Amino acid sequence: MRAGDLCGTGTISGPTKETFGSMLELSWSGKEPIALGDSGITRTFIQDNDEVTITGFCQGDGYRVGFGQCTGKILPAADLGY
């Protein structure tokens, strides 16, 4: 594992579809394509050269703390010549 590696737990974030958080959850393990905004493009998994932005926050009674954005580009796997 190195800085910049993208990880996911694969767990269900919440009980309803609106609360799912990972691409795997949202696409039901690649069975349901996800629309990417109004572009007409759909994905079931991220692809090489896709750019991914992750944001997060924690919220309680009367407060909300944000963690900012983390953006990265998915690069093709290195050819190790095996």
Side-chain angles (χ1 to χ4, degrees):
M1 169 101 50
R2 297 184 317 199
D5 287 351
L6 181 65
C7 297
T9 63
T11 59
I12 299 295
S13 300
T16 63
K17 194 169 188 173
E18 295 78 27
T19 61
F20 295 171
S22 74
M23 189 90 172
L24 190 62
E25 293 171 346
L26 292 167
S27 71
W28 281 102
S29 299
K31 296 175 190 150
E32 295 184 22
I34 301 166
L36 302 181
D38 296 329
S39 67
I41 297 170
T42 61
R43 292 274 199 283
T44 51
F45 297 98
I46 56 176
Q47 298 178 2
D48 289 347
N49 299 308
D50 280 350
E51 188 174 278
V52 177
T53 301
I54 300 171
T55 59
F57 65 88
C58 182
Q59 186 170 320
D61 188 25
Y63 69 91
R64 180 174 169 154
V65 178
F67 299 104
Q69 290 186 343
C70 177
T71 300
K73 185 175 183 178
I74 307 303
L75 299 177
D79 182 1
L80 301 177
Y82 297 133

